[in-house]
Amino acid sequence: MTKVFSYFLFFLVCSTANAQNDITIKGTIVDINSQLPLEMATVYFTTVKDSTVLEYATTDKNGVFRINTKKIDKPVFLKVNYMGYQTLVEEQKSILESKDFGKLYLLENVNALENVIIKTEAPPITVKKDTLEFNASAYKVRPDANVEALLKQLPGVDVDNDGKVTVNGREVTQFLVNGKTFFDKDGALLLKNLPAEIIKKVQVSDYKTKKEELAKQESTSDNSTINLTIDEKKNKGFFGKMLGGYGSDDRYESSVILNFFKNQQKISVLASSNNINSTGFSMDDVFDNMSGGRNSKSNNQSSGGGKGITQSNLAGINYSDDWTKDFAVMSSYNFSNTINNNESKSDQINFLPTGNILTSSDAKTRNENTGNKVNLELEYKINPSTTLVVTPKFNQTKTNSDSKSNTFSEDESGQELNESTSQSKNEGNSFNFTNSINFNKAFEKQSRNLSLVFSNNNTRSDSNALNLSETIFYQDNKPNDERNQNSKNDTSADSYSLDVEYTEPITDSLRVRFGSDFDWANTVNDQKTFDFDAASQSYSDLNLSLTNYISSRQNSVSPKVGITLQKNKYTFNLNTKTSIVDYDNHSLYLGNATDLNKKYALPFANAQMRYKFSRSKNLTFRYDYSNSLPTSTQLLPVLNLMNPLNTVIGNPNLDPIEKNSAGIDFKNFDFRTRSGYSVFIKGDYYNNDVVSTSIYDESGKRTTTYANISGTYLASIGGNWNQSIKKDAHVLRYGLGINASYSFDKGFTNAVLYNAKATAITPKVYLTYEYGELLTVSPSYSLSYNETKYENYTRDATSNVVHRINLQTTSYWPANLIFGNDFGYTYNSNISSDFKKDFYLWNTSLSYGFLDKKLYAKIKVYDVLNQNLSATRTISATSIRDEENTVLKRYVMFSLAYKIGNFAAEKGLKRRQREE
């Protein structure tokens, strides 16, 4: 108790000392001529020595700014910037006490135009109505740094070791270049491959759907978008990177990305090939494509990285341009080919009221996927108030797989139940076409708007599978199941929807929306199975019990109405609709037709309220009520005998699934302390949830159908806190987070109702230290705890704990030398004795730069200790499964990487230097 009191007293003293060092700077920004206050002016302090930004704030509607800061015992500039006004600069020898600057007057530029900033100095940060804009030149990075390094320098921006970007606690889910997509929206290519030196501004705004963007509606998302604008002087030229490497065990990697920018026209080409589990394209400056097998900080229950070893080939091209001032084109093509080889083994316990069934299995698989994907986005401004955006996408995929597996099941007393062996080959082709057409018409009255969104999704697929299997039943005198079959499956799925919405402003802050959704969907699944005919030596004997034709059609009309109330501090959205659904299902099985036609009236509603305390502090509340229909397979009372150990039949009496979701989210970032935190709580509650229910016979074979269960729920809570401290060349970023969930699940096994209550807790702590451009050190620790308690089972409870420790270091000293290490340790506490509980994964890289750091020679070692493994424990309401898969093991690789870049501004400078 004395120690606790001492710690509390120490904390209190420290807090009091810190509070004594806090001071408040305030004032009012006004127009010198009109004497009117200026809202959203940027007020900031910079050092006189090197213009480093110390603190900043923006003015409210009364022109008032307030900055809470520490004492500043050095010369600083107080600067005020506002669109269309001359920048105000005042030097302060120091700021050691609270101060009220009173009224500070700005003089309007005589030639200022609307929405144009005429200034002598670009402010490091500009806050507009819904956009936070950073001036990239105000933040120092290494000369060869990429965009990721630039983002790490921006206040409020955090980039974790997995590449996830957050701004003021909000995750960034879309990245754009000059307002346009760059291959994809997830940002991986941009962060790693776009040089920071060509970036002029980084603009952060709320993520909007295309419909919200065109209609200029407020965002309903809690995520953000980052738009990178390129410096006009460097918007003409080319840049890129090429990499090639070869190593032990015939491991290899190669990649190239080339970019050509000419004003609005941007062309990028990329290609990659490797057999080290890197299936995307995201070259890390230190580890290159090793990210496909590096230590991960994700909080899943896996103890290692991935399933199997993948050989990957990738090629793509991205093109964007403004063909006219009113017509913009964005397009990309991607080719991919992956071959995955894996060997796995698993132990699974299935819980029954009368005893458990233990199943052991092993499998060997080879999967090959080849894909071609084309994305287009065409934006046409018909006139200043009317815009049309068309986004067609084409995706063609070919699959080829081979597998061999063995399975053995027994009861708790060791009595054999069944055993099976299987060998299969499968070839498949699929083609998918999706398209959306967004039409938006803005009327003369502000906020009056008409929006039409048409979308379609059309898929065609076929598969041809050969299956040779034998299942032996040891109990109940059941005959063995032997199969030598060829199964052919043709599937088509078509869906179309039209969203019509009209918005009418009632007041400046209140808008009402009217409209309707029209939806049509149709699916057809034609399954034919042929047994091998020994006489003809061909698969020509149609097996009627494994042949079925199923079709399903849904038509719905959903009138809807919504309101938006938007004030300076808060926004409230409410949307409701009722779907009138005509649902028809048909099956032709064993010569018998089964038709199931139903009609529904399904209500939907959602509400969202967001309160903005400030630009970086907001509270969001969401509620969503929805209904969804069971699938045709779940409804149709038709046997599915494809699995010898599990016969499935639908239930025509299922009701629609009713779901209630609610959540509260609070985020805050304090620029003064460079710290931020976020907390959330959310929950889902289900009525008439559709669950599978199985009855086991004495041989362990299942008969499964579906049932409605009410009263199940999932609740989760979590939070994250992080802080960044910067002093001279030292930068320290650290944080902690925790996520927890509790779920209540119900179901039937052997016709007995069971309950399962699951708890999961995943705390983590992380830290990054940077010393200038020389050293980066990033340790972290995370824990995953999962426990499930059961009722009406022979087992009362089960749990699992996974510990992860990780240390990543990168050294840039001495000059031209880069030394990186990625060390991780994982311990899985409760995995079964057949699997290894812990392992180390250590990756290292050493490179040296030549030719002014354009050429890097590199040697790297993956899994230095040769201990990598993939062992997982999965806990569900009815089973525990432990599984181990093939993983990439130790290899050594030597590689060369070459960076190229040539911009018009640089060429002009070099030419002038030669002339001089």
Side-chain angles (χ1 to χ4, degrees):
M1 190 68 182
T2 304
K3 288 185 177 180
V4 174
F5 179 77
S6 300
Y7 290 147
F8 176 75
L9 183 61
F10 175 76
F11 175 77
L12 184 63
V13 171
C14 292
S15 300
T16 305
N18 287 332
Q20 291 175 349
N21 288 324
D22 290 344
I23 58 176
T24 301
I25 307 299
K26 59 183 179 178
T28 305
I29 309 302
V30 297
D31 183 301
I32 194 172
N33 294 317
S34 66
Q35 297 294 306
L36 294 176
L38 298 176
E39 183 181 3
M40 301 302 288
T42 304
V43 183
Y44 57 101
F45 287 100
T46 67
T47 60
V48 173
K49 181 180 179 180
D50 57 7
S51 297
T52 300
V53 180
L54 298 177
E55 310 288 350
Y56 89 105
T58 57
T59 56
D60 61 17
K61 64 180 180 180
N62 297 315
V64 176
F65 71 89
R66 180 184 296 271
I67 300 175
N68 295 319
T69 182
K70 304 291 184 182
K71 294 179 180 180
I72 305 174
D73 192 11
K74 56 184 173 182
V76 294
F77 288 123
L78 169 66
K79 299 180 181 181
V80 182
N81 182 274
Y82 189 72
M83 184 181 296
Y85 285 74
Q86 298 178 19
T87 300
L88 173 67
V89 180
E90 288 189 5
E91 183 175 354
Q92 307 290 319
K93 298 299 183 184
S94 61
I95 301 179
L96 301 177
E97 58 185 13
S98 298
K99 183 176 182 180
D100 185 351
F101 281 86
K103 291 184 178 181
L104 297 173
Y105 298 96
L106 295 188
L107 178 63
E108 186 175 6
N109 282 302
V110 177
N111 297 320
L113 302 176
E114 186 178 0
N115 295 327
V116 176
I117 301 178
I118 300 177
K119 53 191 180 296
T120 58
E121 176 186 312
I125 302 171
T126 302
V127 182
K128 300 179 180 178
K129 183 178 180 181
D130 60 352
T131 302
L132 181 64
E133 185 175 276
F134 299 95
N135 175 24
S137 63
Y139 302 92
K140 297 179 180 180
V141 293
R142 295 192 309 273
D144 60 340
N146 55 22
V147 167
E148 181 178 86
L150 171 63
L151 294 181
K152 289 181 178 180
Q153 302 302 315
L154 307 182
V157 180
D158 179 68
V159 184
D160 67 16
N161 290 337
D162 292 328
K164 185 176 78 171
V165 181
T166 56
V167 181
N168 294 335
R170 302 177 67 181
E171 183 176 355
V172 179
T173 54
Q174 177 176 254
F175 289 83
L176 305 173
V177 177
N178 285 357
K180 299 176 182 178
T181 56
F182 187 78
F183 277 106
D184 52 30
K185 296 181 179 181
D186 66 6
L189 278 169
L190 289 178
L191 296 182
K192 299 294 187 182
N193 296 287
L194 207 62
E197 62 176 320
I198 72 172
I199 304 302
K200 184 177 182 180
K201 296 178 182 177
V202 178
Q203 298 169 327
V204 182
S205 59
D206 296 339
Y207 170 78
K208 293 185 178 182
T209 64
K210 182 58 68 173
K211 176 182 174 181
E212 292 170 340
E213 178 187 332
L214 295 177
K216 297 182 179 179
Q217 296 176 349
E218 66 288 333
S219 169
T220 56
S221 171
D222 198 40
N223 297 320
S224 296
T225 292
I226 282 184
N227 178 48
L228 304 168
T229 65
I230 297 178
D231 191 337
E232 295 85 349
K233 297 178 182 178
K234 297 184 178 180
N235 206 18
K236 290 183 180 181
F238 62 89
F239 62 93
K241 180 179 180 180
M242 294 178 288
L243 169 73
Y246 185 78
S248 60
D249 298 323
D250 290 326
R251 299 294 169 207
Y252 67 89
E253 64 175 340
S254 61
S255 57
V256 59
I257 179 168
L258 300 173
N259 306 275
F260 174 77
F261 287 2
K262 184 178 180 181
N263 298 325
Q264 298 302 321
Q265 185 183 86
K266 295 176 178 60
I267 302 174
S268 299
V269 178
L270 62 82
S272 174
S273 180
N274 68 80
N275 61 356
I276 55 174
N277 282 6
S278 183
T279 56
F281 190 95
S282 180
M283 291 189 295
D284 184 274
D285 282 342
V286 179
F287 292 98
D288 297 321
N289 294 305
M290 198 185 285
S291 57
R294 293 179 62 193
N295 291 295
S296 173
K297 289 191 177 182
S298 59
N299 286 320
N300 56 36
Q301 295 189 47
S302 172
S303 293
K307 295 183 178 182
I309 298 177
T310 301
Q311 176 185 338
S312 172
N313 301 289
L314 170 71
I317 182 171
N318 186 86
Y319 170 83
S320 65
D321 196 5
D322 291 348
W323 287 359
T324 69
K325 67 175 182 178
D326 298 322
F327 187 47
V329 178
M330 288 158 279
S331 63
S332 66
Y333 164 75
N334 288 280
F335 166 82
S336 63
N337 172 263
T338 60
I339 301 174
N340 178 272
N341 290 280
N342 184 39
E343 294 187 23
S344 64
K345 67 174 184 177
S346 65
D347 290 338
Q348 181 165 318
I349 302 175
N350 293 295
F351 307 133
L352 299 180
T354 56
N356 299 330
I357 294 179
L358 289 74
T359 301
S360 297
S361 62
D362 61 80
K364 184 177 182 179
T365 61
R366 180 190 184 275
N367 295 306
E368 180 175 2
N369 291 274
T370 303
N372 293 275
K373 183 183 294 184
V374 177
N375 296 330
L376 296 171
E377 184 171 337
L378 312 173
E379 182 170 333
Y380 177 52
K381 294 182 180 179
I382 301 173
N383 56 51
S385 62
T386 309
T387 304
L388 179 68
V389 178
V390 183
T391 56
K393 299 180 179 180
F394 307 86
N395 190 5
Q396 181 267 334
T397 304
K398 182 178 181 180
T399 61
N400 190 310
S401 64
D402 296 311
S403 68
K404 295 180 180 179
S405 63
N406 299 279
T407 302
F408 175 78
S409 296
E410 61 183 9
D411 63 17
E412 287 184 320
S413 63
Q415 189 173 30
E416 297 176 333
L417 299 178
N418 59 70
E419 182 178 4
S420 67
T421 60
S422 175
Q423 183 175 349
S424 65
K425 293 184 178 182
N426 187 16
E427 293 183 354
N429 289 280
S430 67
F431 177 81
N432 176 252
F433 168 63
T434 63
N435 185 36
S436 66
I437 301 175
N438 279 263
F439 174 84
N440 189 83
K441 169 66 177 178
F443 296 92
E444 184 175 349
K445 185 175 182 180
Q446 187 175 2
S447 298
R448 178 180 290 171
N449 190 80
L450 174 64
S451 172
L452 288 87
V453 181
F454 173 81
S455 61
N456 64 274
N457 191 330
N458 307 97
T459 301
R460 299 289 182 271
S461 63
D462 63 81
S463 65
N464 190 344
L466 296 177
N467 177 43
L468 182 63
S469 67
E470 180 183 16
T471 303
I472 302 172
F473 299 99
Y474 293 108
Q475 305 295 325
D476 203 22
N477 297 319
K478 191 182 298 297
N480 297 337
D481 186 302
E482 296 184 4
R483 302 186 182 190
N484 185 3
Q485 298 168 334
N486 178 209
S487 297
K488 297 183 178 181
N489 194 355
D490 293 325
T491 302
S492 65
D494 300 285
S495 64
Y496 303 88
S497 67
L498 176 64
D499 174 4
V500 181
E501 186 174 278
Y502 173 77
T503 303
E504 177 65 25
I506 306 300
T507 66
D508 291 342
S509 57
L510 180 64
R511 299 189 295 276
V512 180
R513 297 181 298 277
F514 304 93
S516 183
D517 294 336
F518 304 88
D519 298 280
W520 182 85
N522 185 65
T523 60
V524 175
N525 187 7
D526 187 5
Q527 174 81 43
K528 290 184 175 67
T529 301
F530 299 88
D531 290 325
F532 184 76
D533 183 6
S536 63
Q537 291 293 299
S538 64
Y539 294 95
S540 55
D541 187 6
L542 183 65
N543 188 322
L544 294 178
S545 65
L546 299 179
T547 296
N548 196 1
Y549 177 90
I550 295 177
S551 64
S552 179
R553 179 178 60 84
Q554 281 190 50
N555 294 331
S556 66
V557 178
S558 309
K560 59 184 180 179
V561 62
I563 62 170
T564 296
L565 179 63
Q566 187 174 20
K567 293 291 188 178
N568 185 42
K569 288 288 186 180
Y570 68 88
T571 302
F572 176 75
N573 272 293
L574 175 65
N575 298 284
T576 62
K577 70 176 182 179
T578 299
S579 292
I580 312 301
V581 185
D582 185 12
Y583 194 22
D584 295 336
N585 296 283
H586 168 79
S587 173
L588 181 61
Y589 181 64
L590 296 176
N592 298 318
T594 303
D595 291 289
L596 189 63
N597 304 322
K598 294 193 174 187
K599 296 184 184 296
Y600 302 91
L602 304 177
F604 295 81
N606 64 74
Q608 181 191 74
M609 187 184 74
R610 177 178 294 163
Y611 188 88
K612 292 187 177 182
F613 300 90
S614 65
R615 173 66 196 178
S616 58
K617 184 191 299 185
N618 64 81
L619 176 71
T620 302
F621 169 78
R622 291 187 180 88
Y623 172 76
D624 185 82
Y625 173 82
S626 62
N627 285 272
S628 58
L629 297 177
T631 66
S632 58
T633 302
Q634 293 171 334
L635 283 169
L636 286 168
V638 178
L639 289 174
N640 184 335
L641 305 174
M642 295 302 294
N643 187 344
L645 293 173
N646 186 18
T647 298
V648 182
I649 185 170
N651 178 3
N653 298 316
L654 293 176
D655 293 323
I657 304 167
E658 182 182 344
K659 180 181 179 182
N660 291 270
S661 299
I664 298 176
D665 186 283
F666 178 78
K667 293 182 173 65
N668 180 35
F669 180 82
D670 187 348
F671 182 83
R672 176 180 61 87
T673 60
R674 288 179 172 82
S675 65
Y677 64 90
S678 62
V679 293
F680 73 89
I681 181 171
K682 60 182 180 181
D684 299 322
Y685 182 84
Y686 294 89
N687 281 320
N688 298 323
D689 194 14
V690 175
V691 298
S692 61
T693 170
S694 299
I695 294 179
Y696 290 76
D697 62 20
E698 293 182 0
S699 65
K701 182 178 179 180
R702 290 178 290 164
T703 299
T704 300
T705 187
Y706 302 93
N708 286 120
I709 291 290
S710 294
T712 61
Y713 58 85
L714 169 65
S716 57
I717 186 172
N720 184 76
W721 174 84
N722 64 83
Q723 184 169 26
S724 176
I725 299 174
K726 185 175 183 179
K727 184 176 181 181
D728 299 326
H730 303 275
V731 178
L732 184 65
R733 301 183 182 93
Y734 51 92
L736 54 90
I738 186 171
N739 289 285
S741 65
Y742 180 82
S743 64
F744 178 66
D745 198 5
K746 296 190 291 186
F748 291 95
T749 297
N750 276 10
V752 176
L753 181 68
Y754 69 81
N755 293 335
K757 301 174 182 179
T759 303
I761 303 175
T762 56
K764 61 179 180 180
V765 59
Y766 50 92
L767 181 149
T768 297
Y769 168 74
E770 296 179 3
Y771 180 70
E773 303 174 1
L774 301 180
L775 178 66
T776 301
V777 181
S778 299
S780 65
Y781 168 77
S782 66
L783 176 147
S784 298
Y785 172 78
N786 296 270
E787 181 186 63
T788 303
K789 296 181 178 180
Y790 305 97
E791 294 182 8
N792 294 337
Y793 276 155
T794 54
R795 177 184 289 262
D796 294 328
T798 186
S799 63
N800 189 50
V801 180
V802 178
H803 301 267
R804 294 185 183 87
I805 301 173
N806 181 244
L807 175 64
Q808 295 184 11
T809 65
T810 306
S811 169
Y812 297 89
W813 183 88
N816 298 329
L817 192 70
I818 303 177
F819 182 43
N821 286 277
D822 183 8
F823 180 83
Y825 172 74
T826 301
Y827 178 79
N828 197 335
S829 67
N830 289 355
I831 203 164
S832 66
S833 58
D834 292 338
F835 303 90
K836 194 172 185 293
K837 292 180 178 292
D838 67 338
F839 72 100
Y840 297 91
L841 180 57
W842 177 18
N843 305 317
T844 186
S845 165
L846 181 65
S847 61
Y848 188 82
F850 301 89
L851 303 178
D852 197 24
K853 296 184 180 180
K854 290 184 177 181
L855 176 66
Y856 275 92
K858 182 177 303 184
I859 184 170
K860 57 188 177 183
V861 184
Y862 177 79
D863 189 15
V864 175
L865 303 178
N866 203 32
Q867 288 197 8
N868 191 24
L869 60 83
S870 172
T872 61
R873 163 159 285 199
T874 304
I875 302 173
S876 73
T878 58
S879 66
I880 300 176
R881 180 180 177 86
D882 293 330
E883 182 178 346
E884 186 172 289
N885 294 274
T886 300
V887 294
L888 192 64
K889 303 289 281 187
R890 180 170 58 195
Y891 67 83
V892 181
M893 184 175 293
F894 176 78
S895 63
L896 292 173
Y898 184 70
K899 295 181 180 180
I900 58 175
N902 201 344
F903 300 99
E906 294 178 351
K907 289 187 289 186
L909 175 61
K910 292 178 180 178
R911 184 172 58 252
R912 288 193 299 270
Q913 290 175 342
R914 288 196 301 267
E915 291 174 353
E916 293 175 356

